[in-house]
Amino acid sequence: MFTEYEIESMIEYPEVKEATIALKKDFLKTEAPYLEINDEDFFSLIIMAPTIGIAMADGKITLFEEMALNKKARKLSKGGYFMKKDPVVYAMKFLIKNYYNWSDKFMGVLKETIKITCGINELDLGRPPGDGDIDYNEYRQAVLHSPYLLIRFIASFFLENDEDIINQNHKIGKAEYQRMILIGEKLELDKIPVFQMFCKTFK
């Protein structure tokens, strides 16, 4: 999971900040006109969008999933981990309410953020894995040699704990797995070998 300092650093990219402010203006005007949230915390909400999508894969969010989402949101908030009324947690309720109306716009900002902050277009990201099971050692090496931020994005979006990224036995439900694949496509992560290999670690 990203820290508030990493959030601050990413939003300093002019293109990321501009896209964040534009989406925030649209979201507040249309969905939450009385919501008060700063740019960094709104960007944290954008970062939460894939995780929310996974939680909603089967059509509902369980109490356990809600608690996990709230925990992540509080960690992302600017100085707000122990706040009673956390701005990202509060804003997340508006996004969940009409998630499917907003998910593509949120994913669009995230897709550009990943490209810009990870410098995807200039990187040699290795060769795609073949069909069938992956070679675990090859996957481990791919994770270790990939850009730090790229691995952080993948772990933050799709895992409860970042340290589980180098694991060959991830477990996930069928609906959640299909949603992860769909989100990967929307973010264009599906074109990146290490993400393709990551998806094959799920049972």
Side-chain angles (χ1 to χ4, degrees), residues 119-186:
I120 296 295
N121 294 335
E122 291 99 44
L123 291 174
D124 177 8
L125 296 171
R127 61 184 179 85
D131 295 332
D133 294 337
I134 62 165
D135 181 302
Y136 177 58
N137 288 330
E138 188 177 346
Y139 168 65
R140 185 167 51 188
Q141 291 297 318
V143 170
L144 293 175
H145 293 131
S146 293
Y148 169 80
L149 264 183
L150 176 60
I151 298 304
R152 294 283 275 160
F153 277 118
I154 294 172
S156 293
F157 295 160
F158 305 117
L159 295 174
E160 187 172 340
N161 299 306
D162 287 10
E163 58 267 26
D164 287 338
I165 188 70
I166 300 183
N167 187 339
Q168 59 183 334
N169 292 308
H170 294 119
K171 293 190 170 38
I172 195 172
K174 184 177 180 180
E176 287 81 4
Y177 180 80
Q178 291 174 339
R179 180 61 58 82
M180 180 179 71
I181 296 297
L182 177 62
I183 290 171
E185 291 172 356
K186 288 185 176 182

Side-chain angles (χ1 to χ4, degrees), residues 34-46:
Y34 301 108
L35 177 65
E36 294 184 4
I37 187 168
N38 62 42
D39 295 340
E40 287 82 4
D41 283 339
F42 190 81
F43 183 68
S44 295
L45 179 66
I46 295 173

Side-chain angles (χ1 to χ4, degrees), residues 94-109:
F94 292 95
L95 179 56
I96 290 171
K97 183 179 178 181
N98 280 318
Y99 179 80
Y100 296 107
N101 291 338
W102 290 98
S103 62
D104 284 348
K105 291 184 178 181
F106 276 67
M107 297 302 169
V109 174

